[in-house]
Amino acid sequence: MSTIKDVAALAGVSFTTVSHVLNNTRPVSAEARARVLAAVDEIGYLPSAVARSLRRSETKIVGVLVPNVRNPFFAELVVGAEEWCRQAGYSVFLCNSDNDPKHQQAYLRTLLEKRIDGLLLSSAGDAETLASTFRHASVPVVTVDRLVPGARADRVSVNNQLGAFEVVRHLLELGHRRIGCVSGPAEFEVTTERVAGWRNAMQQRGLEARAEWLAESDFSTAGGYEAVKALLTRQPELTAVFTCNDLMGMGALRAAAELGLNVPRQLSVVGFDAIELGSYVYPALTSVGCSIRELGREAGRALIERIENPQAPFKDLQLVPQVVLRESTAAPSSPELS
């Protein structure tokens, strides 16, 4: 690879002059600048980002660590975050923990060793270790969607409890009274909040959110399929199911079909996140959420603001979700007693 000394020799100037031209650190004559830039083009010289970062104590690179890039939700989230960071002059180093806390911790070490300027994280679990890592990390951190209880970091999320409450209330207004819930892993704050929204909506109508109507899954399509199939087999009286994300909701549609239940005539199904893919399954999945790309952009904005103003008070930003009515919900085939 060509070096700064090669550029200097070709341009007939000192290597310090080349450095001043490339970094705009001192005025250089127009003639010398032109020779340097011509030499850079001729030999294809690329400045060392590592060396530049050591001099400036910044890399203009941020890390983004998500639990599952195969999930359309996180793909869209990353697009939004990358858009904002790029506009602010930062490149994004993307890592996928694959829902494995050990992979997550290994990637955290790698990102911190790369001298990133900041970290955007959606948790794969092990909140205690994450919180401890953040306390000792020397870079700003923003958590998004799957938050980290106890972490000293900015937080950007959807109002999960409100969203769950509203989409379950939609089912109640249709006349459903026996509504099951398929949650994500219990360790996640997002799970706790969405299950609380289901319970609150039921209780506000004077109904019991029965323990046997709640099943736990893993936020995947396969997990939702297995959980809903087992739940409906055990609890055939259910006329509607709230799944705590859309991938599980899509699995629920498959489970209902295999059990011979027509959706929505015999079973209504709702999800959470309102991903675009939910519009193209059959029947299209009723859900609740906000613009996922906007959520990513807000997280990217929070990270850049934290990098530029590290002493500012921590933020806890919640976007307000909206119910997205599609084809997977209808009044129960037999009116239920209030």
Side-chain angles (χ1 to χ4, degrees):
M1 293 180 63
S2 57
T3 68
I4 192 171
K5 291 184 178 180
D6 296 327
V7 175
L10 184 58
V13 298
S14 68
F15 71 87
T16 55
T17 298
V18 175
S19 177
H20 289 313
V21 169
L22 296 178
N23 295 296
N24 290 315
T25 50
R26 195 188 71 185
V28 175
S29 71
E31 179 188 359
R33 176 179 292 276
R35 293 205 308 272
V36 167
L37 295 178
V40 166
D41 287 340
E42 183 174 338
I43 66 177
Y45 171 69
L46 294 175
S48 169
V50 173
R52 188 166 57 241
S53 70
L54 289 172
R55 288 194 303 271
R56 299 182 179 177
S57 297
E58 65 176 16
T59 61
K60 288 293 182 178
I61 296 173
V62 297
V64 176
L65 178 53
V66 296
N68 184 4
V69 293
R70 295 183 297 276
N71 184 331
F73 174 88
F74 291 109
E76 190 72 5
L77 182 78
V78 170
V79 168
E82 191 275 338
E83 282 179 349
W84 187 273
C85 293
R86 174 165 39 84
Q87 290 168 4
Y90 289 79
S91 298
V92 168
F93 195 118
L94 174 63
C95 297
N96 173 39
S97 65
D98 205 22
N99 283 306
D100 187 329
K102 291 183 180 179
H103 290 170
Q104 176 176 260
Q105 199 61 24
Y107 273 128
L108 277 175
R109 286 196 300 269
T110 299
L111 289 169
L112 295 175
E113 288 170 0
K114 295 293 183 184
R115 299 176 61 87
I116 56 173
D117 292 341
L119 173 67
L120 186 64
L121 173 106
S122 188
S123 170
D126 195 5
E128 186 175 342
T129 299
L130 282 175
S132 176
T133 300
F134 295 164
R135 281 194 295 271
H136 295 96
S138 58
V139 301
V141 177
V142 171
T143 58
V144 58
D145 184 57
R146 297 189 190 177
L147 307 179
V148 182
R152 288 180 53 79
D154 295 289
R155 299 156 48 104
V156 180
S157 64
V158 177
N159 190 323
N160 292 298
Q161 190 164 327
L162 174 64
F165 179 91
E166 292 295 341
V167 80
V168 173
R169 186 170 70 169
H170 163 64
L171 293 172
L172 292 164
E173 289 174 347
L174 288 172
H176 294 279
R177 297 295 178 266
R178 299 187 293 273
I179 304 171
C181 176
V182 177
S183 78
E187 65 183 289
F188 292 121
E189 185 175 352
V190 62
T191 293
T192 303
E193 292 173 345
R194 292 179 185 179
V195 171
W198 166 67
R199 287 201 176 100
N200 291 344
M202 296 286 281
Q203 291 168 1
Q204 189 180 83
R205 288 297 178 96
L207 302 169
E208 182 183 1
R210 299 180 185 175
E212 60 268 26
W213 291 353
L214 175 64
E216 183 177 328
S217 185
D218 63 357
F219 285 131
S220 72
T221 306
Y225 163 79
E226 296 290 349
V228 171
K229 194 170 185 180
L231 180 64
L232 292 175
T233 300
R234 295 193 312 268
Q235 309 293 329
E237 73 276 13
L238 295 175
T239 64
V241 175
F242 162 54
T243 60
C244 285
N245 83 343
D246 284 349
L247 291 186
M248 293 192 297
M250 293 174 196
L253 296 177
R254 173 76 184 189
E258 289 191 4
L259 292 171
L261 297 171
N262 178 275
V263 176
R265 186 169 56 84
Q266 294 172 292
L267 180 75
S268 286
V269 178
V270 298
F272 199 116
D273 288 333
I275 63 176
E276 185 179 5
L277 185 61
S279 299
Y280 297 99
V281 296
Y282 184 80
L285 183 66
T286 291
S287 187
V288 64
C290 61
S291 166
I292 302 168
R293 182 176 293 196
E294 184 61 24
L295 180 68
R297 286 177 61 83
E298 288 295 339
R301 183 214 296 264
L303 182 59
I304 301 307
E305 289 178 351
R306 174 60 54 192
I307 292 170
E308 295 177 349
N309 189 7
Q311 303 305 318
F314 288 112
K315 297 177 182 176
D316 188 356
L317 175 63
Q318 288 191 330
L319 276 63
V320 177
Q322 303 291 327
V323 174
V324 179
L325 297 177
R326 294 180 179 139
E327 302 167 346
S328 63
T329 55
S333 54
S334 298
E336 299 188 49
L337 298 176
S338 298

